[in-house]
Amino acid sequence: MPRRSSRSRSHLVFLSLCAVAVLAASCRRSPEPLPGAATEPAAAVRQLVQHLHDNDLAGYARAAVPPAQYAELEAAWARGHSRWPLDELPLHDKLPTLLATLAAPDAETRLQRAFKAQIAGQAASVRQAAHSLGLFGEQYISHQGDYSDDERAHYVQLVRALGDWAQSAPLSDPKLAGSTIATLTAAARATGLDSDAALQEAGMTGSLQRLAPFARAVKQVLAGYGLSLDDSIAQLRTGLVSQQGDHATVHVQYPLAGKDIDLQVALERRQGHWYLARTLAEVDAVLAAARAAALVPGEGDAPPPGTGDDSGDSPAAAAKP
């Protein structure tokens, strides 16, 4: 009898510890929702970032603007008057060059050589460079740039978190560098987007679809260095701060590189759906410029069929003896 009682107590203790562990793990994975999480504006932000989690860049673009604007952006892209949403990225104008560099036949050799010459074995120097860049970025964002107060506060948090991550990440590890280069060069070649002309030919939706696997590869590489963007997105929480008519402010929280990022974003309702107000303003400006450019002959538009100087069907060609 004593043995059986002792075993029973042991089993109960074990089961209790398991229950505590499960509850603790559940608490870590599912923190309390923010107030107003179930409201339409808060849900709209979560639905938008879910596309980024899924590497669905075309789905993100469709969800970011009203359908009529998406169609107009597609047409403006085809005429060379827009590269939205790529122009929301830092150094967006360098993207075709970056892809071309990564897709070059000798990219692996050249990049490995550059890494060995400049970074391999330089852990202390890399950490110092990351520290300096982080300080510079924080100072620049704090005092320069066209940012709202909320955006400025958000970007400062981002720079601090990424700066701290970069200082501790194994950026000078030769083995990781080798796998990183192999992953990114293969993904860049698969896009077939090594020039602005290639982007224009593929179209907006087509380009975003081709870039989706490259975005996945970039996230895979960052996760290898200890920065999991998918985990950050999966743990993102939203809540409602205020709503007045067709305007709302949403509270957003998410972890990044061990830091908690906290911000507020403005949303606007159009045609019954909620969109980020800054994105709408940027797209309104892009489309206004595209409409103006479309009125100027030769501003990015390809010549209509039959009007080229060398076309056998053109009036000029027909007049030739």
Side-chain angles (χ1 to χ4, degrees):
M1 288 295 293
R3 286 185 180 179
R4 186 174 302 174
S5 177
S6 176
R7 287 177 182 174
S8 298
R9 286 196 298 271
S10 297
H11 291 163
L12 286 173
V13 171
F14 175 74
L15 291 174
S16 299
L17 290 174
C18 288
V20 170
V22 170
L23 289 173
S26 299
C27 290
R28 287 196 299 270
R29 288 195 300 268
S30 303
E32 286 294 320
L34 297 177
T39 61
E40 289 185 0
V45 174
R46 294 196 303 274
Q47 290 168 0
L48 187 63
V49 298
Q50 184 63 40
H51 290 293
L52 298 179
H53 179 277
D54 298 338
N55 306 304
D56 183 6
L57 304 186
Y60 170 87
R62 288 187 184 279
V65 295
Q69 283 195 320
Y70 186 91
E72 193 174 357
L73 286 163
E74 185 95 68
W77 181 298
R79 292 193 297 267
H81 296 157
S82 167
R83 287 295 177 264
W84 185 91
L86 298 184
D87 55 16
E88 290 188 347
L89 298 172
L91 303 176
H92 61 88
D93 55 330
K94 305 298 183 184
L95 180 60
T97 301
L98 170 63
L99 292 173
T101 299
L102 290 171
D106 61 342
E108 290 93 341
T109 302
R110 290 189 297 102
L111 292 173
Q112 286 279 16
R113 186 184 302 122
F115 175 84
K116 290 179 181 178
Q118 302 174 22
I119 300 177
Q122 303 293 322
S125 297
V126 171
R127 284 196 298 270
Q128 183 57 47
H131 177 70
S132 299
L133 285 173
L135 291 177
F136 172 79
E138 185 175 340
Q139 287 298 313
Y140 178 84
I141 292 171
S142 297
H143 303 288
Q144 306 291 330
D146 182 19
Y147 308 119
S148 68
D149 291 342
D150 288 337
E151 290 169 342
R152 200 179 300 277
H154 179 210
Y155 294 152
V156 166
Q157 293 178 77
L158 284 180
V159 168
R160 286 176 181 168
L162 293 176
D164 289 347
W165 161 76
Q167 291 180 62
S168 59
L171 300 179
S172 60
D173 186 314
K175 185 176 180 179
L176 268 177
S179 63
T180 293
I181 291 170
T183 298
L184 293 181
T185 52
R189 291 184 184 117
T191 67
L193 302 174
D194 57 357
S195 67
D196 189 71
L199 287 169
Q200 184 159 337
E201 182 179 357
M204 183 174 80
T205 300
S207 294
L208 295 176
Q209 290 171 339
R210 290 196 200 179
L211 286 169
F214 184 75
R216 184 186 303 113
V218 171
K219 290 198 293 185
Q220 176 186 334
V221 164
L222 290 174
Y225 285 95
L227 183 65
S228 177
L229 299 183
D230 280 343
D231 285 351
S232 294
I233 296 173
Q235 297 179 62
L236 179 141
R237 299 187 298 163
T238 63
L240 186 67
V241 177
S242 64
Q243 179 180 344
Q244 294 183 344
D246 292 333
H247 298 273
T249 300
V250 169
H251 185 192
V252 179
Q253 289 183 342
Y254 62 93
L256 181 67
K259 303 290 191 301
D260 290 326
I261 308 298
D262 191 285
L263 67 147
Q264 294 186 2
V265 293
L267 274 75
E268 181 180 332
R269 181 164 51 192
R270 290 189 186 179
Q271 302 171 12
H273 297 279
W274 290 95
Y275 304 96
L276 296 179
R278 182 174 178 84
T279 298
L280 291 178
E282 291 172 346
V283 167
D284 287 344
V286 167
L287 291 178
R291 295 182 196 116
L295 299 176
V296 180
E299 288 294 315
D301 289 322
T307 60
D309 291 341
D310 297 327
S311 172
D313 297 329
S314 68
K320 291 180 181 179

